[in-house]
Amino acid sequence: MHVFYATQFVLPLPQGHRFPMAKYGRLRERLAAECPSVQLGQALPATDGELALVHRPDYIQAIEQGTLSAAAQREIGFPWSPAMAERARRSVGATIQACRTAMAGEGIAANIAGGTHHAYADKGSGFCVFNDAAVAARLMQAEHARRHRARGPLKVAIVDLDVHQGNGTARIFANDPSVFTLSLHGEKNFPFRKEPSDLDVDLPDGTGDGAYLEALERALDELAHRFEPGLVIYLAGADPHEGDRLGRLKLTFDGLEARDRRVMDWAWQRRLPLAFAMAGGYGTDLEVTVQVQMNTYRVALEYHARWAARAGHGACATVTAA
């Protein structure tokens, strides 16, 4: 299974900054050590033209040239630096490559980072600079139209299971019937001004495994009733975990693994290619966040094996919850 990364770009964050930048490198290390069938590839940067499918040219240039205002940098949550600009491009590029790989016949592929769903067309927010899922969705639609003009437009479902609502993604696709945005999130959590997705599921603080999985099942049923995608982009946030500092939900390791399995099985049953990104994760213990993500990859490898028609080959080494 192909997994794309940009872990070589580490943002020079101030001492005590709450964003856990180290989780990406740690996840890559564990995938390399424990999952020999994962093929790690360095992400290419998204081009100006690719980013402009979603983002305003003046915003793209402000990121590239470092001319963002202090207020805009505060809203993003990162101080500008060349590494910030380059990493943002490559995070988008990794999701683009994952989508292309999944659609080329592999069936499932991943971005070690990504899930930057708070970024709008004209601004970033909440640790999100460019919106990787939105850019990848639009680019896959454009490439599909060039190759398969007679088949009609490619429809994309963005299944956002980060604990925070995907407000930027919802706003970008608010008037686009070719993209379905689904978000399960904490009702009282960030962002406090939410944008309407095609389907929003607001969950109360303290929601546990059973109620969450029931809500997810209903949401996927409604998605299937209302929309027929040709591609799924899945934001597999680790932050609904009970140990997350910013999550406020109470999912266990088992509950999150069941969540991942349900989404991937939903796509597999319909033979839909699926690209996933790791989205949020802010565990008090960094290793807990990485463990949630490792469990996601373990499930993904099972479905990759189905796509490859070699069940049981290349499975991830068994990992034990911390």
Side-chain angles (χ1 to χ4, degrees):
M1 184 174 76
H2 287 84
V3 177
F4 300 94
Y5 67 88
T7 53
Q8 70 274 38
F9 298 97
V10 178
L11 305 192
L13 300 176
Q15 186 70 29
H17 196 285
R18 64 179 180 170
F19 188 79
M21 184 63 61
K23 68 182 179 179
Y24 303 114
R26 180 60 179 145
L27 177 58
R28 181 187 168 195
E29 289 170 1
R30 287 196 58 183
L31 287 170
E34 300 174 31
C35 301
S37 62
V38 163
Q39 298 184 48
L40 291 162
Q42 183 171 311
L44 299 172
T47 66
D48 283 358
E50 290 166 346
L51 293 173
L53 292 169
V54 167
H55 295 286
R56 280 179 36 170
D58 57 342
Y59 176 62
I60 297 168
Q61 289 306 304
I63 295 295
E64 180 66 20
Q65 298 170 6
T67 57
L68 282 176
S69 68
Q73 293 179 59
R74 285 194 299 271
E75 185 166 359
I76 291 172
F78 297 142
W80 185 89
S81 66
M84 179 264 235
E86 186 65 17
R87 181 182 178 276
R89 284 181 179 270
R90 290 184 185 254
S91 187
V92 175
T95 297
I96 290 171
Q97 288 171 268
C99 286
R100 282 180 177 148
T101 301
M103 293 187 70
E106 189 163 324
I108 188 165
N111 177 358
I112 255 178
T116 46
H117 58 169
H118 300 311
Y120 286 69
D122 60 345
K123 67 175 184 176
S125 180
F127 305 139
C128 302
V129 181
F130 298 127
N131 194 310
D132 64 303
V135 173
R138 287 256 172 90
L139 183 59
M140 293 308 101
Q141 289 179 323
E143 292 180 351
H144 181 272
R146 287 198 296 270
R147 296 191 184 104
H148 308 292
R149 192 175 303 276
R151 296 185 189 178
L154 174 69
K155 294 184 177 181
V156 181
I158 299 177
V159 178
D160 187 341
L161 303 189
D162 188 286
V163 80
H164 305 108
Q165 198 242 8
N167 56 332
T169 310
R171 181 65 174 272
I172 287 166
F173 294 116
N175 298 306
D176 188 340
S178 70
V179 178
F180 192 101
T181 53
L182 163 62
S183 179
L184 266 72
H185 51 263
E187 179 182 15
K188 297 179 180 179
N189 212 323
F190 180 88
F192 303 109
R193 181 181 179 276
K194 296 174 172 59
E195 304 280 356
S197 307
D198 290 299
L199 179 56
D200 284 302
V201 180
D202 302 318
L203 301 169
D205 289 357
T207 295
D209 292 350
Y212 186 98
L213 293 170
E214 288 176 9
L216 174 59
E217 190 70 32
R218 290 193 299 270
L220 291 174
D221 285 347
E222 184 169 348
L223 168 56
H225 179 71
R226 293 170 53 186
F227 195 74
E228 294 184 5
L231 169 67
V232 177
I233 300 177
Y234 173 36
L235 277 59
D239 43 12
H241 186 260
E242 59 189 350
D244 198 88
R245 289 181 290 119
L246 305 182
R248 297 163 66 170
L249 300 187
K250 296 295 182 184
L251 272 69
T252 65
F253 285 107
D254 288 345
L256 284 165
E257 185 172 334
R259 173 203 70 171
D260 295 332
R261 189 174 300 280
R262 184 64 194 96
V263 173
M264 293 179 192
D265 197 62
W266 188 91
W268 165 252
Q269 288 173 10
R270 293 161 177 80
R271 301 303 189 267
L272 298 174
L274 181 148
F276 68 98
M278 303 323 298
Y282 310 91
T284 304
D285 181 346
L286 180 71
E287 290 299 326
V288 169
T289 294
V290 174
Q291 185 63 61
V292 173
Q293 296 172 334
M294 284 295 297
N295 291 344
T296 299
Y297 278 93
R298 182 155 56 91
V299 173
L301 282 163
E302 294 179 22
Y303 285 92
H304 181 267
R306 296 187 188 189
W307 275 95
R310 49 187 173 89
H313 175 70
C316 184
T318 300
V319 286
T320 304

